[in-house]
Amino acid sequence: EVQLVESGGGLVKPGGSLRLSCAASGFTFSSYSMNWVRQAPGKGLEWVSSISSSSSYIYYADSVKGRFTISRDNAKNSLYLQMNSLRAEDTAVYYCARGYDYGDPGSDYWGQGTLVTVSS
Amino acid sequence: QSALTQPASVSGSPGQSITISCTGTSSDVGSYNLVSWYQQHPGKAPKLMIYEVSKRPSGVSNRFSGSKSGNTASLTISGLQAEDEADYYCCSYAGSSTFGVFGGGTKLTVL
């Protein structure tokens, strides 16, 4: 059974940093691209970042480019999102999701999400 | 990176069919057959319903179907059931510089 479990969310002050983690199990992690998608309270889904299976290709939404860094450790079956210079508008539930095909931002399995709140 | 355009809400009675549109541009929906659709119930994670415009993942009811014409993709749900009441989102590949974009979401109400 595919499982994705996010962790690392919490309350952080504007300008602060946070590192999200996603532990994957139930599939060959190193064979799949991975995505981060967020959802602000009461709002819609927003694609944040994607990373290919070997980390060769990385993409970011304009809203986070230069502040967020996606990475993965295939030996540890883990995905990460380093978030710096956080703003109030980054407040959201962050979902880790498995990409079903290289070059497609779509996701076939999703974690339950971790809440990031940016507030003073 | 402008979001794809979806109607804010649609509604239908049990047994009826509804269609949710997802309008993009020639830079995303219109140029690639990489549109996916997601169902999200309150407080839950999204669930993939359609990928690559019209393909259904294993386990998804054949009451859900997808299509595309020009810059607009569509999700059709036939034989509406109470459990279909949820938010629905489309997503499209938008080229190597932008990569991914979601629609604003559509709230489906089953009357």
Side-chain angles (χ1 to χ4, degrees):
Chain A
E1 178 192 7
V2 172
Q3 285 199 328
L4 298 168
V5 180
E6 302 93 339
S7 60
L11 176 63
V12 61
K13 289 182 169 53
S17 298
L18 213 55
R19 190 195 196 205
L20 305 184
S21 299
C22 172
S25 61
F27 65 102
T28 305
F29 181 73
S30 59
S31 296
Y32 289 84
S33 61
M34 297 295 295
N35 305 313
W36 286 102
V37 177
R38 69 185 181 183
Q39 187 169 33
K43 302 297 184 182
L45 300 175
E46 179 186 12
W47 171 78
V48 173
S49 183
S50 296
I51 186 169
S52 63
S53 58
S54 61
S55 304
S56 298
Y57 299 94
I58 288 174
Y59 307 93
Y60 298 101
D62 286 345
S63 58
V64 306
K65 200 171 293 183
R67 300 187 299 122
F68 289 12
T69 302
I70 191 173
S71 63
R72 63 190 296 162
D73 185 336
N74 287 343
K76 295 183 178 179
N77 290 343
S78 294
L79 175 71
Y80 306 102
L81 187 66
Q82 177 67 44
M83 304 185 296
N84 299 330
S85 303
L86 283 162
R87 306 166 180 167
E89 54 265 36
D90 295 319
T91 294
V93 172
Y94 285 74
Y95 292 102
C96 161
R98 188 181 83 167
Y100 50 73
D101 194 15
Y102 168 74
D104 189 326
S107 304
D108 57 358
Y109 288 92
W110 298 63
Q112 285 306 302
T114 187
L115 177 62
V116 172
T117 303
V118 184
S119 174
S120 54
Chain B
Q1 291 171 331
S2 298
L4 305 175
T5 300
Q6 297 181 233
S9 63
V10 298
S11 62
S13 299
Q16 288 187 330
S17 295
I18 63 94
T19 296
I20 299 172
S21 62
C22 169
T23 301
T25 69
S26 58
S27 298
D28 39 61
V29 175
S31 290
Y32 310 98
N33 289 325
L34 296 175
V35 177
S36 50
W37 288 91
Y38 302 86
Q39 176 191 67
Q40 186 180 36
H41 288 109
K44 300 294 187 181
K47 175 186 177 183
L48 177 67
M49 305 304 285
I50 295 288
Y51 67 102
E52 293 177 6
V53 175
S54 60
K55 297 179 180 179
R56 253 188 332 272
S58 173
V60 172
S61 171
N62 58 9
R63 297 186 298 105
F64 292 82
S65 62
S67 62
K68 190 185 85 167
S69 177
N71 296 337
T72 298
S74 298
L75 173 71
T76 298
I77 308 173
S78 59
L80 269 180
Q81 299 179 1
E83 59 261 36
D84 298 333
E85 185 163 293
D87 294 325
Y88 291 84
Y89 297 90
C90 61
C91 176
S92 175
Y93 176 68
S96 58
S97 59
T98 302
F99 197 68
V101 61
F102 274 94
T106 298
K107 181 176 181 59
L108 169 62
T109 300
V110 180
L111 302 170

